[in-house]
């Protein structure tokens, strides 16, 4: 679920860009967040922040990585050159933040060689491996926007650490950050384990509050937007072939259902067949979105099954 990793972290750095700037470049001053789409090339970066460093304007470029990518060095080189060109050739400070152990991590510098083996150029970037950073580093910082990263740090999965993280965020009423922590935990803890069950129970008391957070709402909207686009493409084909508008609408609905079933297949594979039978009966977009919210908080396949049964009964 690389897409969900990206959705969570991109939202974190967009809203709490100053906190990330203070962490990664204490010697720089945050100015503003910038468009992540580089206009002079069809490239998207995870985060691009305007900063002032050493008395000069600059760019803090961040890539989050949840899987192994041997081409990371080359990608950062391309992104940095393109971003600098687009912003008056400002200095770029590129970072790659690895969210979880991914095997061999590409290290700086990236060296490009000619076919004869001679060196053409080398590009330096900075590497952060979250699992090597002690949990206390994030717990004891004044920047609350970094607290959800605790669960990815060294010792961050320990119950006492998670309790402290939840307490700090709840006391500060930082419910959006609490929602981010909940979603990251859903990716970190293996489904069906005692750790996962405990983690879900610990967040149960915040269930209603978290569903109202912008995090859940935006991720759900993005999730279903992908389904809508797939459905539109499929529906256009059916509409042309069958010569009727209903084909397009049916395609859109089917796209939404397919996206939701993909989520269920990942989280509760043992009930995929049962879910398919129920979800395919739901054609209402709001009902599908509500179902997504509820399934995120389901603590077991049995609970997820009951949610599907209840929603199914409401539509009869």
């Amino acid at each position: 679920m690389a897409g969900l990793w990206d959705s969570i972290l991109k939202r974190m750095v967009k809203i709490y860009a100053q906190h990330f700037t203070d962490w990664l470049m204490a010697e720089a001053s945050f100015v503003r967040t910038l468009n992540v789409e580089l206009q002079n090339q069809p490239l998207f970066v995870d985060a691009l922040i305007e900063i002032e460093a050493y008395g000069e304007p600059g760019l803090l470029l961040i890539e989050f990585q949840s899987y192994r990518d041997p081409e990371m060095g080359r990608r950062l080189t391309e992104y940095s050159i393109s971003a600098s060109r687009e912003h008056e050739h400002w200095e770029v400070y590129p970072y790659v933040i690895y969210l979880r152990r991914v095997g061999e991590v590409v290290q700086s510098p990236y060296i490009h060689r000619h076919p004869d083996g001679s060196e053409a150029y080398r590009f330096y970037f900075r590497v952060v491996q979250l699992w090597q950073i002690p949990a206390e580093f994030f717990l004891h910082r004044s920047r609350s926007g970094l607290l959800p990263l605790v669960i990815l740090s060294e010792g961050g999965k320990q119950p006492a650490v998670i309790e402290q993280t939840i307490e700090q965020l709840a006391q500060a009423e930082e419910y959006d950050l609490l929602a981010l922590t909940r979603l990251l935990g859903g990716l970190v803890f293996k489904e069906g384990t005692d750790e996962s069950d405990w983690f879900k129970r610990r967040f149960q008391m915040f269930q209603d509050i978290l569903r109202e957070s912008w995090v859940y709402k935006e991720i759900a909207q993005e999730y279903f937007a992908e389904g809508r686009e797939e459905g539109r493409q499929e529906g256009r084909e059916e509409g042309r072939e069958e010569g009727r508008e209903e084909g397009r609408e049916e395609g859109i609905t089917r796209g939404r259902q397919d996206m939701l079933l993909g989520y269920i297949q990942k989280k509760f594979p043992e009930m995929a067949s049962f879910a398919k039978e129920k979800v395919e009966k739901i054609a209402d977009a709001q009902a599908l979105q509500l179902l997504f919210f509820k399934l995120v908080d389901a603590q077991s396949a049995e609970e997820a099954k009951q949610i599907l049964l209840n929603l199914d009964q409401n539509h009869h």
Side-chain angles (χ1 to χ4, degrees):
M1 300 183 69
L4 190 50
W5 283 102
D6 287 345
S7 292
I8 295 169
L9 272 299
K10 286 177 183 178
R11 282 168 172 77
M12 273 186 66
V13 74
K14 181 179 179 181
I15 302 301
Y16 301 97
Q18 179 154 4
H19 296 191
F20 277 83
T21 301
D22 293 345
W23 167 36
L24 297 174
M25 293 196 65
E27 66 275 23
S29 300
F30 168 79
V31 179
R32 61 181 176 134
T33 56
L34 298 171
N35 190 349
V36 296
E37 180 180 7
L38 303 179
Q39 301 297 325
N40 52 34
Q41 292 189 45
L43 296 175
F44 288 83
V45 298
D46 287 344
L48 191 63
I49 302 170
E50 180 182 341
I51 60 174
E52 183 177 323
Y54 311 107
E56 300 287 340
L59 300 169
L60 173 58
L61 188 153
I62 303 174
E63 281 295 301
F64 296 105
Q65 201 65 21
S66 60
Y67 59 92
R68 183 176 179 274
D69 182 4
E71 296 297 312
M72 176 53 66
R74 180 186 59 78
R75 283 174 50 202
L76 285 173
T77 304
E78 293 177 356
Y79 293 167
S80 298
I81 293 172
S82 184
S84 180
R85 184 183 297 122
E86 191 165 305
H87 293 278
E88 303 179 29
H89 299 283
W90 290 350
E91 193 70 31
V92 179
Y93 302 89
Y95 281 78
V96 54
I97 300 178
Y98 286 94
L99 307 175
R100 54 181 178 170
R101 296 180 187 274
V102 292
E104 184 179 356
V105 171
V106 174
Q107 297 291 346
S108 180
Y110 166 67
I111 302 175
H112 179 74
R113 298 185 182 277
H114 293 300
D116 64 359
S118 62
E119 183 176 318
Y121 60 85
R122 60 177 59 201
F123 180 79
Y124 290 87
F125 53 95
R126 302 174 190 184
V127 177
V128 176
Q129 300 175 66
L130 286 177
W131 62 89
Q132 293 183 344
I133 301 176
E136 291 75 15
F137 175 83
F138 296 111
L139 286 172
H140 297 152
R141 292 181 70 85
S142 60
R143 299 302 185 184
S144 59
L146 301 176
L147 266 176
L149 298 180
V150 167
I151 201 168
L152 304 174
S153 65
E154 182 184 11
K157 293 170 65 176
Q158 296 177 11
V161 173
I162 293 174
E163 289 281 3
Q164 189 173 347
T165 303
I166 293 173
E167 288 175 8
Q168 286 189 33
L169 292 174
Q171 288 175 5
E173 297 186 352
E174 292 277 11
Y175 296 119
D176 292 327
L177 287 170
L178 199 60
L180 287 165
T181 305
R182 168 66 181 84
L183 289 169
L184 282 174
L187 296 173
V188 169
F189 291 112
K190 185 177 180 181
E191 190 66 39
T193 63
D194 291 341
E195 286 181 319
S196 176
D197 292 343
W198 174 84
F199 184 80
K200 291 175 183 177
R201 286 195 302 271
R202 187 60 186 83
F203 277 85
Q204 198 69 25
M205 63 183 293
F206 302 107
Q207 182 173 310
D208 293 337
I209 296 174
L210 298 186
R211 285 177 185 166
E212 292 302 314
S213 72
W214 63 266
V215 174
Y216 271 36
K217 290 179 179 178
E218 282 195 8
I219 289 179
Q221 288 169 1
E222 180 179 287
Y223 191 80
F224 287 107
E226 294 177 9
R228 284 196 296 272
E229 184 56 34
E230 289 185 5
R232 286 193 186 100
Q233 295 296 333
E234 185 177 346
R236 287 190 194 106
E237 294 299 323
E238 291 188 4
R240 280 196 291 270
E241 293 173 5
E242 300 176 19
R244 54 190 174 88
E245 180 66 14
E246 296 93 286
R248 188 183 72 86
E249 296 301 325
E250 289 176 6
I252 292 173
T253 298
R254 188 154 50 251
R256 295 173 183 175
Q257 293 169 340
D258 288 345
M259 290 297 292
L260 184 52
L261 287 171
Y263 176 79
I264 294 171
Q265 174 66 44
K266 179 70 177 179
K267 189 172 183 181
F268 303 113
E270 67 271 35
M271 56 173 292
S273 297
F274 174 81
K276 186 174 188 297
E277 177 187 347
K278 302 301 179 184
V279 170
E280 288 183 345
K281 296 178 181 178
I282 304 171
D284 180 77
Q286 289 185 340
L288 288 167
Q289 183 165 321
L290 176 62
L291 178 57
F292 171 78
F293 287 145
K294 290 184 176 181
L295 288 172
V296 165
D297 290 314
Q299 297 185 35
S300 65
E302 186 59 35
E303 183 178 340
K305 182 177 181 179
Q306 191 58 51
I307 289 170
L308 285 168
L309 285 171
N310 291 342
L311 195 63
D312 182 58
Q313 291 169 4
N314 291 337
H315 283 77
H316 283 78

